[in-house]
Each structure stands twice: as C-alpha cells, then as structure tokens.
Amino acid sequence: MLSGIGKAVVTATGMDTEIGKVAELTQAIKPEMSPLQKEMARVTKVVTWIAVSLGLVFFLLGYKMAGLTYLESFIFAIGIIVANVPEGLLPTVSLSLAMGVQRMAGKNAIVKKLSAVETLGSVNVICTDKTGTLTTNQMCVTRLWVNNKNIEVIGNGYEPRGSFILNGNALSHGDLENEGVDELLKAASLCNNAHLIVPPPSPSPARGEGKREGASGGWSISGDPTEGALVVAAEKAGLCLEELKKQSPRIAHLAFERIRKRMTTIHEAGNRQEAMGNRVLAYVKGAPKETLSLCTNI
C-alpha cells in the first residue's frame, strides 16, 4: 500500500478505462428472477399443462361419447381450459406483495419493486458499504479537547459557519487564542492535504420567482473527509488556510501510512517562532497511541 503526493497522467476516460470495463460487465449482466417469480413460472407451466390436457380429454369425450360436433367439442374444450386458469392468483399475489411493501414503508424501508419484498424476507445478513451509501460521506468536528477542556463545536456539513461552546458560553476569537484552540487548529490545517471548495454564487431568480434554495449546491471539500472536517473547523475559528500556508510554507511531507500511523508536515517557522529561535516546525497528526508516544509534555 502506497500513499503520498504525485502527478497523474490521464490515458483514458469513461468506459475506456479499466473501471469502465468493469462497469460495462456489470451492465451486461441480465437481472435474475426472484424466488417468487421462479415459483410462479413453475406453477404457470404446471397449470397450463393440466388445463390443456383436460381440454383435450373433454374434447375427445364430447366428440366421441356425447355426440357433439367438432365445433361444439372445441368450444367445450376451450371452456374447460379457461375454467382451469386461476384468475384470482395474480391479484392475490400482487395484493400480498403490496401489503408487504406497506409494512416495510412503515419501518422506513423503501422498496422499488414488488418482487423484492419476498426476496428481502429471505435475507438474514445484509453487507453494504457505509461511507457515502448509508451516510452522506461527510465528517464534522463536534468536540475539541485542549488544555484539559472539552470544547463543543457547533455547525453541520462543510459550511464554515459555527461557534465554539465552553461551559455553555460561546467563545470569541480572543478566547479561542487564549485557550489554545487557534494553535491546535493551525496544526490541524497545515498538516493537511484537503481543500475547502466555495459554492458558486446562486443565479438571480427570474421575475415572479422566489429564491431557489440549494440551486447552486453547497460547500464541499477536495480530499479526505476527515482532513476536510479539520479544515472546516479551522475556518469556523476564523483561521484562513491560504494565509497560514503563506506564513508557514511547507518544506517536506511525510504521508500517512499504516506502519507510522501518522502524517507529518515540515514548515518554515513564522515570525513568532523565529523570535523564539525556531526556524523549522513539524506538525503531526495521526493515531492517538503513536502520536502521544512522541510527546514529552502538554
């Protein structure tokens, strides 16, 4: 497993890529019938053979023994065949499946096809991908622990709008600096490869139309969702990532990997650190055990 920063050369796009070939294979697979559909097909064949067989038998009996003409025997046989067709089977099955869909909807489970109800009834284990499927693939910082204090972060999604709450009181920008939140979020922002993407401006509504909410899309990030959440938290605290990068340019980068379990970026020190005699700073983030093992004090 490799990680880091590099340049990509595009050699193919869309269905011409290897992933596109896999997608083409999945689209070529024909959907299989559900167990209920297979059983209904089997019952239909059995009923058809029985009805046709009885029709032939009564056709011969009517012509040979009852003295009916060919036409009368044929009409009598058609009646026998039609009488053996279970006309109420289709509405009964449809009604049963519709009731199953209604019960599942009551438990917040939306079923697109009626035939899927019977299939789901036979399922014991469901395996699914969580991120982006059961969730919105978004992460958000909700709490910070700094200087032995637990600070709550208010705000949802990637929009850099929110506040920091300590003991029920909202912290000002001066309080954030005094509590050490600025230093913590500065480290989280610089030891980071994510970027916050500003949504495009909403188009002006036409005359007679109200403002269209969500027409321009919302805030988003480019990069890892975890790193994006840290960038958003820093923006909520009033830190500008671009300004931080100018003040402390990155010199080197050690990517996160499974052995070190941490990421390190080395930066030129800003004016404050240069006054203290530090010309280079290393910011580290990663798993608690591996990161805390490097610390000598708080």
Side-chain angles (χ1 to χ4, degrees), residues 5-297:
I5 299 176
K7 293 184 178 179
V9 178
V10 179
T11 58
T13 59
M15 300 303 288
D16 295 330
T17 62
E18 294 299 324
I19 297 179
K21 295 177 182 178
V22 175
E24 187 177 0
L25 291 176
T26 59
Q27 294 175 0
I29 299 176
K30 296 181 180 180
E32 295 184 358
M33 292 191 300
S34 66
L36 179 62
Q37 290 174 325
K38 293 179 180 178
E39 185 65 21
M40 290 298 299
R42 190 185 67 84
V43 171
T44 301
K45 291 180 181 179
V46 172
V47 171
T48 301
W49 280 107
I50 293 176
V52 172
S53 299
L54 290 175
L56 292 175
V57 170
F58 278 92
F59 174 80
L60 296 175
L61 291 176
Y63 179 73
K64 296 290 185 179
M65 302 181 62
L68 300 177
T69 63
Y70 279 109
L71 181 59
E72 293 173 340
S73 298
F74 178 75
I75 295 175
F76 181 59
I78 292 298
I80 294 297
I81 293 174
V82 173
N84 281 278
V85 176
E87 297 178 355
L89 180 61
L90 181 59
T92 301
V93 173
S94 300
L95 181 61
S96 300
L97 294 177
M99 293 177 64
V101 171
Q102 185 178 11
R103 291 179 181 177
M104 297 192 70
K107 296 183 178 181
N108 299 325
I110 305 301
V111 180
K112 184 178 180 180
K113 295 182 179 180
L114 289 178
S115 59
V117 176
E118 188 266 344
T119 306
L120 288 175
S122 305
V123 173
N124 295 323
V125 179
I126 297 178
C127 300
T128 182
D129 176 30
K130 179 185 71 67
T131 305
T133 305
L134 300 180
T135 64
T136 58
N137 199 24
Q138 287 187 352
M139 299 192 72
C140 183
V141 176
T142 58
R143 290 188 182 273
L144 296 176
W145 188 84
V146 57
N147 288 341
N148 291 320
K149 295 179 181 178
N150 196 342
I151 301 176
E152 183 180 1
V153 183
I154 305 299
N156 296 320
Y158 292 130
E159 183 177 3
R161 181 182 300 176
S163 57
F164 296 80
I165 307 297
L166 178 61
N167 299 326
N169 299 318
L171 300 178
S172 64
H173 289 295
D175 296 331
L176 294 177
E177 185 175 358
N178 295 332
E179 294 293 343
V181 175
D182 279 4
E183 285 296 322
L184 175 64
L185 293 179
K186 178 181 178 181
S189 300
L190 292 177
C191 186
N192 202 309
N193 289 327
H195 301 278
L196 184 62
I197 300 176
V198 181
S202 302
S204 301
R207 182 176 298 178
E209 294 183 0
K211 182 180 179 180
R212 294 182 297 173
E213 295 293 338
S216 60
W219 293 78
S220 60
I221 58 103
S222 173
D224 183 79
T226 305
E227 293 191 338
L230 297 176
V231 172
V232 172
E235 292 281 351
K236 290 179 182 178
L239 299 177
C240 179
L241 183 57
E242 298 302 326
E243 291 296 328
L244 292 177
K245 290 181 178 179
K246 291 179 181 179
Q247 296 173 5
S248 301
R250 181 183 294 187
I251 302 174
H253 168 228
L254 299 177
F256 181 92
E257 44 88 19
R258 61 183 181 86
I259 298 178
R260 295 178 66 246
K261 296 182 180 178
R262 60 181 182 266
M263 172 184 173
T264 305
T265 56
I266 302 175
H267 300 260
E268 294 181 5
N271 296 330
R272 177 182 172 186
Q273 283 76 17
E274 286 183 356
M276 300 173 60
N278 299 327
R279 296 187 178 276
V280 175
L281 284 177
Y283 292 108
V284 181
K285 76 173 190 296
K289 180 180 178 181
E290 283 68 16
T291 306
L292 291 176
S293 65
L294 304 176
C295 301
T296 58
N297 55 71

